[in-house]
C-alpha cells in the first residue's frame, strides 16, 4: 500500500510540469495566432513599398541600376516580382507573402528542434531509480491519459516560432515582407535542410541547402560566410560518421562527402546567382550594377550610423530579459564558452554570431536588421532552456538527493531560472506583444489617401510618366504604385539628391550625389514633369520640414521659377504603426506653370545642372 501511494504521489508531482508545458504551449500558440488575426488587413507601407514599386517599374520596362538608381541586390527585386506574380499586387497579397515567410520559418524551427538527433544530444541528468520513474509515468498516463504530453523539442520549436512571429509583428506595419526577413527565412530554412542532409544522409537536402543559400546571397552577399561555415561543419560531421561508424579511410570518407554533399550544395548554390547575372545581362544593367559598388552602396552604408552599444541593445531589445537569463544559465552551468560536440548547436551558434556581426556592420539598428540574428538565437536559447527544464524533471523523478555540492547548486539555480524564463516568455512577453500589435492603428493612412485624392484631381492616370516624387519611403512612391503611375525619372531616393546632414563634405563634392543630380537635372529640364511632390523628411537622418530643399538651392529656385505650389498638406494627427507614436510626413504638390513646359532654359535652369 505505501508503495502504491508513493507512485500516486509521484504521478501527481509529474502532472504539474505537464500542465506547465501545456500552459506554455497554449499561451504561445494563441498569442502568435492573434498576430495573424489582427494584422491581415495591414497596408503595404514603408521601405518594402519602395522595393515593391521598383519591382513594378522593372516589369514596365525600366532597367534596374541603369534607369533606377538603388543600392539593393538583384535578388531583392526578383523575389519581389515573383511574389507579385504569385500572390498579387495589393495589400492583402503582401500580407499573404509575409504570412508565407513566417509559416516557412515556423516549419524550419520544428525541423531544427524536433529531431531525434537533438534529443539524443540533450544533457540529461541521470535518473537514480529507473524502475520508480517508470511506475510514476505509468501512473500518470493511467490517471491523466487525456492530457497530451508535450515533448521538450516540440516546446522549443513552438517557443522559437511564436516569439519570432510576435517580434516581427510588434516591429510594425513597415516590416512586412522586408528583404532581411526574406533572407533570414532563407538562411533558416537552408540550415534546416542541412540538418536533414546529415541526419538522413541525403544529398538532395544538401543541394536544397545550397539553393536556398544561393538565393539569400543574391539578397545580401554577406550571407556567404555563414553558408560556407555551416557547410564545413556539416561536411566534418559527415566525414566523422563515415570514419567512425562506416570504417572508411580518411581519403575515401573525404571523397564521399565531397562528391555526394559538398559538390551538390555548391552546384545548387550557383543557380540563383546565375539567374541574377542573366537578369542583369538581359536588362543591360551589369555595368551599372558593378558601378554601384563604388558609388551608391558605400555612400548608403555611411548613413544613419549608431553607436555599437545602441546597435547591440536594439538588436535584441524585445528579448533582452530572455537573453540575459540565458547567459546567466550558461554561466551557472559553466558553458559560457562552450563549443558543443553537437555540430548542430555549433551551426546555430555560428548563425547567431553572423546575425550579430550583420547588425553591427550595418550600424543602423533598424528593426528588420535583427531578423537574421533572431532566427538562430531563438532556437539556440529555446533548446537550452527546455533541456535544462527537462533535466530538472528527471532529477525530481530520481532518488532523493544528498547534500548538494556547489556545482549542483549552480545547476539547480540554472534549472529554476530556465523555468522562470520560459514562464516570462509565454505568460508575459507573448501576450504583451499580441496586445501591442492589436493597438497599432493600421487604418490611419492619411498621407496615402490624401495624396491619392489630390493626384486624381490633377489627372490621375494621365500623370503617368509626367510626375516625380522627391521622397524615399514617406509614401509618395507608394501612392504612385497604387495608382500604377510611372515616374518622370528613375531617381526614387531623395538622399541621392540632397545628401545627409552627417556628410563630412557638401553634396556637390560627393561623386554619387553629383552624378545623380546631373542625371536628374538633364531629365527634368528636357521634359519637365507636370507634377512634382516633395515630402518633408529627408531619408535617413533628416532634416524635416522641407529643409532638404535648402541643401540644393538651384533645385529650389527651379521649383520657384517653373512651378506653382498647388497643395501643402500636413497631418492633423499622429500615427501608430509600431510601438511609438509618430507624426507622418507632410508633402507639397507643385504643378508646372502653363507657359513653363516649352520655355527655353533660363540661367536658373542651367544652375540646376551646374556646380
Amino acid at each position: 500500500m505505501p508503495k502504491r501511494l508513493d507512485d500516486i504521489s509521484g504521478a501527481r508531482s509529474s502532472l504539474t510540469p505537464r500542465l506547465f508545458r501545456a500552459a506554455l504551449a497554449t499561451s504561445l500558440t494563441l498569442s502568435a495566432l492573434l498576430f495573424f488575426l489582427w494584422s491581415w488587413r495591414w497596408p503595404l507601407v514603408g521601405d518594402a513599398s519602395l522595393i515593391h514599386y521598383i519591382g513594378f517599374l522593372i516589369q514596365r520596362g525600366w532597367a534596374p541600376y541603369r534607369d533606377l538608381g538603388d543600392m539593393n541586390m538583384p535578388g531583392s527585386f526578383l523575389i519581389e516580382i515573383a511574389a507579385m506574380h504569385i500572390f498579387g499586387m495589393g495589400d492583402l497579397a503582401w500580407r499573404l507573402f509575409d504570412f508565407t515567410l513566417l509559416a516557412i520559418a515556423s516549419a524550419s524551427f520544428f525541423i531544427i528542434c524536433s529531431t531525434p538527433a537533438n534529443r539524443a544530444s540533450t544533457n540529461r541528468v541521470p535518473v537514480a531509480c529507473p524502475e520508480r520513474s517508470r511506475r510514476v509515468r505509468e501512473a500518470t498516463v493511467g490517471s491523466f491519459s487525456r492530457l497530451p504530453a508535450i515533448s521538450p523539442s516540440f516546446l522549443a520549436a513552438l517557443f522559437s516560432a511564436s516569439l519570432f512571429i510576435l517580434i516581427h509583428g510588434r516591429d510594425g506595419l513597415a516590416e512586412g515582407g522586408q528583404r532581411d526577413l526574406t533572407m533570414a527565412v532563407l538562411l533558416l530554412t537552408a540550415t534546416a535542410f542541412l540538418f536533414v542532409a546529415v541526419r538522413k544522409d541525403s544529398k538532395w537536402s544538401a543541394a536544397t541547402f545550397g539553393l536556398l543559400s544561393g538565393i539569400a546571397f543574391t539578397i545580401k552577399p554577406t550571407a556567404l560566410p555563414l553558408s560556407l561555415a555551416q557547410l564545413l561543419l556539416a561536411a566534418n560531421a559527415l566525414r566523422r560518421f563515415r570514419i567512425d561508424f562506416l570504417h572508411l579511410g580518411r581519403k575515401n570518407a573525404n571523397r564521399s562527402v565531397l562528391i555526394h554533399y559538398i559538390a551538390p550544395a555548391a552546384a545548387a548554390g550557383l543557380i540563383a546567382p546565375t539567374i541574377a547575372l542573366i537578369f542583369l545581362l538581359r536588362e543591360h544593367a551589369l555595368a551599372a550594377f558593378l558601378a554601384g559598388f563604388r558609388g551608391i552602396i558605400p555612400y548608403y552604408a555611411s548613413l544613419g550610423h549608431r553607436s555599437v552599444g545602441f546597435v547591440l541593445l536594439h538588436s535584441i531589445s524585445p528579448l533582452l530579459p530572455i537573453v540575459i537569463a540565458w547567459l546567466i544559465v550558461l554561466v551557472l552551468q559553466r558553458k559560457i564558452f562552450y563549443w558543443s560536440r553537437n555540430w548542430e548547436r555549433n551551426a546555430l551558434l555560428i548563425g547567431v554570431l553572423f546575425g550579430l556581426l550583420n547588425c553591427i556592420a550595418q550600424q543602423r539598428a533598424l528593426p528588420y536588421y535583427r531578423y537574421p540574428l533572431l532566427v538562430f538565437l531563438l532556437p539556440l536559447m529555446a533548446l537550452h532552456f527546455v533541456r535544462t527544464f527537462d533535466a530538472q524533471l528527471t532529477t525530481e523523478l530520481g532518488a532523493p538527493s544528498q547534500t548538494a555540492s556547489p556545482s549542483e547548486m549552480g545547476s539547480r539555480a540554472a534549472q529554476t531560472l530556465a523555468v522562470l524564463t520560459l514562464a516570462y516568455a509565454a505568460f508575459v512577453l507573448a501576450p504583451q506583444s499580441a496586445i501591442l500589435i492589436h493597438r497599432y492603428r493600421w487604418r490611419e493612412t492619411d498621407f496615402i489617401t490624401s495624396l491619392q485624392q489630390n493626384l486624381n484631381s490633377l489627372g490621375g492616370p494621365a500623370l503617368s510618366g509626367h510626375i516625380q516624387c522627391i521622397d524615399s519611403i514617406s509614401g509618395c512612391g507608394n501612392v504612385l504604385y497604387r495608382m500604377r503611375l510611372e515616374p518622370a525619372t528613375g531617381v526614387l531616393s531623395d538622399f541621392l539628391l540632397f545628401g545627409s546632414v552627417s556628410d563630412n563634405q557638401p553634396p556637390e563634392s560627393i561623386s554619387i550625389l553629383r552624378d545623380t543630380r546631373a542625371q536628374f537635372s538633364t531629365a527634368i529640364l528636357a521634359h519637365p514633369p507636370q507634377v512634382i511632390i516633395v515630402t518633408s523628411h529627408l531619408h535617413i537622418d533628416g532634416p524635416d520640414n522641407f529643409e532638404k530643399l535648402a541643401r540644393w538651392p538651384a533645385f529650389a529656385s527651379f521649383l520657384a521659377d517653373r512651378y506653382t505650389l498647388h497643395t501643402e498638406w500636413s497631418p492633423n494627427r499622429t500615427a501608430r504603426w509600431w510601438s511609438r507614436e509618430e507624426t507622418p510626413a507632410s508633402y507639397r504638390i507643385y504643378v508646372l506653370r502653363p507657359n513653363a513646359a516649352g520655355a527655353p532654359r533660363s540661367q536658373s535652369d542651367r544652375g540646376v545642372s551646374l556646380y
Side-chain angles (χ1 to χ4, degrees):
M1 185 67 177
K3 184 176 180 180
R4 177 62 179 169
L5 290 176
D6 186 56
D7 289 346
I8 293 175
S9 176
R12 290 175 178 174
S13 65
S14 179
L15 175 63
T16 301
R18 181 174 288 197
L19 287 173
F20 179 65
R21 282 176 176 163
L24 290 175
T26 301
S27 181
L28 288 168
T29 302
L30 289 178
S31 299
L33 290 177
L34 286 174
F35 160 76
F36 295 100
L37 176 64
W38 288 336
S39 71
W40 70 271
R41 289 179 291 180
W42 284 2
L44 171 65
V45 295
D47 194 18
S49 65
L50 178 60
I51 308 297
H52 220 61
Y53 185 46
I54 294 175
F56 162 75
L57 293 177
I58 291 173
Q59 295 180 83
R60 291 294 184 95
W62 293 70
Y65 312 112
R66 182 165 54 86
D67 297 331
L68 303 168
D70 196 81
M71 56 282 174
N72 290 288
M73 295 292 106
S76 300
F77 305 134
L78 292 173
I79 291 174
E80 203 88 8
I81 293 170
M84 292 163 72
H85 279 288
I86 295 172
F87 298 100
M89 301 180 69
D91 292 330
L92 179 58
W94 200 238
R95 295 308 303 141
L96 292 176
F97 175 64
D98 193 55
F99 293 166
T100 300
L101 290 176
L102 295 176
I104 294 172
S106 299
S108 300
F109 283 129
F110 277 89
I111 292 173
I112 288 171
C113 296
S114 301
T115 62
N118 278 331
R119 289 197 292 272
S121 64
T122 302
N123 296 322
R124 298 179 182 271
V125 176
V127 178
C129 184
E131 177 61 24
R132 179 177 181 274
S133 300
R134 183 186 62 79
R135 293 197 306 270
V136 169
R137 287 194 297 271
E138 289 175 354
T140 304
V141 173
S143 303
F144 308 100
S145 59
R146 294 184 179 181
L147 185 63
I150 297 175
S151 68
S153 55
F154 181 90
L155 183 60
L158 189 62
F159 176 99
S160 304
S162 299
L163 289 189
F164 183 70
I165 289 170
L166 290 167
I167 292 171
H168 173 58
R170 67 184 286 157
D171 284 342
L173 280 64
E175 310 311 323
Q178 277 281 5
R179 56 196 178 279
D180 284 67
L181 173 65
T182 305
M183 182 184 74
V185 173
L186 286 167
L187 292 174
L188 176 69
T189 309
T191 302
F193 273 100
L194 188 63
F195 286 9
V196 173
V198 177
R199 294 167 187 166
K200 297 188 176 182
D201 212 21
S202 170
K203 61 183 178 183
W204 292 109
S205 296
T208 306
F209 162 80
L211 176 64
L212 297 175
S213 299
I215 299 174
F217 173 81
T218 66
I219 299 176
K220 286 193 174 180
T222 51
L224 180 61
L226 170 63
S227 300
L228 292 177
Q230 289 183 327
L231 183 60
L232 289 176
L233 281 176
N236 184 62
L238 289 164
R239 186 181 67 87
R240 291 294 300 272
F241 175 78
R242 279 156 172 71
I243 294 174
D244 296 342
F245 295 95
L246 301 183
H247 305 294
L248 296 180
R250 291 183 180 274
K251 185 176 180 180
N252 290 334
N254 292 337
R255 183 187 298 111
S256 174
V257 172
L258 177 63
I259 294 175
H260 294 98
Y261 298 94
I262 296 180
L270 294 175
I271 294 175
T274 301
I275 293 174
L277 177 60
I278 294 172
F279 168 71
L280 292 174
L281 293 174
R282 189 195 69 178
E283 299 292 334
H284 305 287
L286 180 59
F289 168 72
L290 295 176
F293 287 93
R294 303 188 304 272
I296 185 172
I297 292 177
Y299 179 70
Y300 181 73
S302 70
L303 304 179
H305 285 183
R306 301 280 192 165
S307 67
V308 174
F310 185 93
V311 170
L312 291 176
L313 179 63
H314 282 72
S315 64
I316 57 172
S317 54
L319 296 173
L320 184 59
I322 296 176
V323 173
I324 292 175
W326 177 56
L327 294 176
I328 294 175
V329 168
L330 290 175
V331 171
L332 291 172
Q333 295 178 334
R334 300 180 181 180
K335 293 181 178 179
I336 191 66
F337 298 112
Y338 179 58
W339 184 258
S340 175
R341 293 180 181 178
N342 185 343
W343 78 271
E344 293 182 357
R345 180 192 182 277
N346 298 336
L348 293 177
L349 181 59
I350 288 177
V352 170
L353 296 176
F354 160 78
L356 201 57
L357 291 174
N358 182 64
C359 291
I360 294 173
Q362 297 185 92
Q363 295 184 268
R364 295 193 191 93
L366 298 177
Y368 58 90
Y369 283 172
R370 63 182 169 216
Y371 294 149
L373 167 64
L374 296 183
V375 294
F376 296 107
L377 178 62
L378 282 168
L380 186 64
M381 293 192 301
L383 287 168
H384 199 94
F385 284 135
V386 298
R387 288 171 181 172
T388 304
F389 174 45
D390 195 43
Q392 180 186 29
L393 297 182
T394 51
T395 300
E396 291 174 353
L397 291 174
S401 61
Q402 304 298 322
T403 303
S405 65
S407 62
E408 290 174 338
M409 292 178 62
S411 178
R412 290 179 183 178
Q415 292 164 357
T416 302
L417 184 56
V419 172
L420 293 175
T421 305
L422 289 171
Y424 166 79
F427 304 135
V428 178
L429 180 61
Q432 178 194 62
S433 299
I435 293 171
L436 182 65
I437 292 166
H438 181 57
R439 291 176 178 173
Y440 292 163
R441 301 193 296 269
W442 57 268
R443 292 183 177 89
E444 296 177 356
T445 55
D446 300 350
F447 180 104
I448 295 172
T449 54
S450 66
L451 181 55
Q452 191 165 349
Q453 290 172 0
N454 284 318
L455 294 183
N456 277 326
S457 68
L458 291 173
L463 294 176
S464 187
H466 307 286
I467 187 170
Q468 181 64 42
C469 289
I470 309 299
D471 181 34
S472 286
I473 61 171
S474 297
C476 184
N478 191 333
V479 172
L480 297 193
Y481 169 73
R482 292 174 183 274
M483 298 179 68
R484 306 297 188 261
L485 301 179
E486 298 182 37
T489 78
V491 179
L492 304 179
S493 299
D494 55 3
F495 68 88
L496 292 175
L497 297 174
F498 303 103
S500 170
V501 294
S502 61
D503 291 337
N504 295 323
Q505 48 189 327
E508 56 271 14
S509 300
I510 301 174
S511 60
I512 182 61
L513 303 186
R514 187 170 58 250
D515 294 343
T516 305
R517 284 184 175 186
Q519 173 192 351
F520 181 76
S521 301
T522 301
I524 64 172
L525 288 175
H527 301 285
Q530 293 295 319
V531 173
I532 295 179
I533 302 108
V534 180
T535 57
S536 57
H537 179 70
L538 174 60
H539 189 67
I540 296 176
D541 299 315
D544 294 316
N545 300 320
F546 304 99
E547 293 179 10
K548 63 186 177 184
L549 292 174
R551 297 181 60 81
W552 192 8
F555 177 69
S557 298
F558 171 78
L559 283 177
D561 293 343
R562 303 282 289 269
Y563 287 80
T564 300
L565 179 60
H566 179 274
T567 302
E568 181 166 350
W569 179 90
S570 296
N572 55 18
R573 60 178 177 177
T574 59
R576 189 174 186 181
W577 286 358
W578 66 313
S579 58
R580 300 177 189 173
E581 293 273 351
E582 290 185 330
T583 301
S586 304
Y587 65 80
R588 293 173 180 171
I589 299 177
Y590 294 88
V591 177
L592 185 67
R593 293 174 183 170
N595 61 346
R601 296 188 184 184
S602 63
Q603 182 64 31
S604 62
D605 292 338
R606 291 193 295 271
V608 177
S609 57
L610 298 176
Y611 304 102

